[in-house]
């Protein structure tokens, strides 16, 4: 119903992205599709582009990535967020090499069995890299389908999406739907006048596109508090590795207290004279919001768990965003410390 006008529009207006082939061209390598789709989960196209290009230059094949050092990959991922994706990225690359001879499988079913590859990602890889007419439903597509059919219930989206997906050019169709959602059928003020499927759109006919998808009231996120410790000695700061199974597992970080209702200075990594800064750093994770107070101290380079990292190379430590914010706050205040 909508494939023909949508593909004609895509042929003229497709976004040029480093992981894509032009409309109608041979599909991109499955490795590039997979890498980009994992990076794009919960992350914007603009943020992903430089990471994708760096990863592809550093690890140009799934074999190269499978052989990579875990810590190097985690460092390269720093700043992109949702770090379990980086761990799954490595696990998936190794599974493709070990179980599939270094070739990504081409069906949704086999892709789903790979670490970190869920319903959406498997459908995206199958359709874009292998021309399987799988229904690809991300947030953008969900919005477009909800509006096309003026759906009151988002649970109906997948069935409608599957019925719309054409057998011809399914990869281009999937990317056209993503582009339509990202550039025309936007969450607010969709550009219906420019929309190639306007004549098929029920929400447009009703005059209420923004009423779809129907929104449910969101529960507020739980609040947690913590303390990050900036121990500075001789131009170095004490960094630790986060425990593998915890949030931000495997990443370099400042030592912290436990995160909860009442963080304790007893969790400090060194017994020294700590000064607590006035303003905490706030960071919102998927499931909770964190107010991270900063404790700073000038100390000596004693032997302790962790590593003393040169402060003038802090940007190379690969700190996740929350600790990058904390480090900046600490550095701005450490200058005021008495020597
Ligand atoms: Fe979205 Fe408007 Fe197009 Fe309907 S007509 S799909 S609401 S942009």
């Amino acid at each position: 119903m909508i494939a023909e006008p949508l593909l004609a529009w895509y042929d003229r207006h497709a976004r040029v992205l480093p992981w894509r082939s032009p409309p109608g061209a041979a599909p991109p390598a499955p490795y590039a599709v997979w890498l980009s789709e994992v990076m794009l989960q919960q992350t914007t196209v603009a943020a992903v582009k430089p990471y994708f290009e760096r990863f592809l230059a550093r690890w140009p094949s799934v074999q190269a990535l499978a052989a990579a050092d875990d810590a190097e990959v985690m460092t390269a991922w720093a700043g992109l967020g949702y770090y379990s994706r980086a761990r799954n990225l490595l696990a998936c690359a190794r599974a493709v090499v070990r179980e599939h001879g270094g070739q990504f499988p081409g069906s949704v079913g086999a892709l789903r069995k790979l670490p970190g590859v869920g319903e959406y990602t498997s459908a995206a890889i199958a359709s874009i890299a292998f021309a399987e007419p799988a229904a690809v439903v991300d947030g953008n597509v969900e919005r477009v389908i909800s509006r096309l059919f003026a759906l009151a219930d988002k649970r109906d989206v997948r069935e409608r999406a599957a019925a719309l997906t054409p057998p011809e050019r399914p990869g281009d169709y999937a990317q056209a739907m993503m582009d339509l959602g990202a550039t025309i059928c936007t969450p607010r003020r969709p550009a219906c006048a420019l929309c190639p499927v306007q004549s098929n759109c029920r929400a447009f006919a009703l005059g209420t596109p923004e009423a779809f998808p129907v929104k449910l009231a969101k529960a507020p996120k739980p609040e947690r508090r913590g303390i990050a410790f900036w121990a500075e000695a001789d131009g170095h700061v004490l960094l630790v590795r986060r425990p593998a199974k915890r949030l931000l597992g495997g990443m370099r970080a400042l030592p912290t207290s436990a995160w909860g209702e009442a963080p304790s200075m007893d969790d400090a990594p060194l017994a020294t004279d700590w000064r607590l800064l006035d303003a905490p750093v706030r960071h919102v994770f998927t499931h909770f919001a964190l107010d991270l107070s900063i404790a700073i101290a000038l100390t000596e380079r004693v032997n302790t768990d962790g590593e003393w990292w040169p402060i003038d190379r802090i940007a190379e430590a690969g700190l996740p965003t929350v600790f990058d914010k904390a480090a900046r706050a600490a550095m701005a205040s450490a200058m005021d410390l008495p020597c």
Side-chain angles (χ1 to χ4, degrees), residues 106-118:
S107 70
V108 169
L111 285 161
R112 272 302 289 272
K113 296 196 177 114
L114 294 169
V117 177

Side-chain angles (χ1 to χ4, degrees), residues 70 74 83-84 87-88 91 224 241-251 259 288:
D70 288 41
M74 297 307 286
Y83 294 92
S84 60
R87 290 189 289 280
N88 278 330
R224 292 191 197 167
R241 283 251 176 227
R242 303 270 304 164
K245 301 274 179 201
R246 303 271 290 280
L247 188 67
L248 310 175
M251 303 294 295
W259 297 347
F288 66 95

Side-chain angles (χ1 to χ4, degrees), residues 27 30 33-34 37 104-112 117-136 170-171 174:
V33 178
W34 164 73
E37 289 299 343
F104 276 87
S107 70
V108 169
L111 285 161
R112 272 302 289 272
V117 177
E119 190 169 19
Y120 164 77
T121 307
S122 58
I125 301 170
S127 70
I128 297 169
F130 296 104
E132 185 181 320
V136 182

Side-chain angles (χ1 to χ4, degrees), residues 147 184-185 190 192 195 198 201 204 209:
R147 289 173 176 174
I184 302 279
C185 194
C192 299
C195 178
Q198 186 205 82
C201 182
F204 176 77

Side-chain angles (χ1 to χ4, degrees), residues 77-104:
W77 192 274
L80 208 48
Y82 301 96
Y83 294 92
S84 60
R85 290 183 298 167
R87 290 189 289 280
N88 278 330
L89 197 76
L90 274 169
C92 182
R94 289 168 185 160
V96 168
V97 169
R98 192 177 56 243
E99 293 161 23
H100 299 279
Q103 305 293 322
F104 276 87

Side-chain angles (χ1 to χ4, degrees), residues 17-47:
L17 300 171
W19 46 85
R20 274 194 181 172
S21 292
Y31 175 62
V33 178
W34 164 73
L35 183 61
S36 64
E37 289 299 343
V38 173
M39 288 183 165
L40 286 163
Q41 291 164 9
Q42 323 264 358
T43 310
T44 63
V45 164

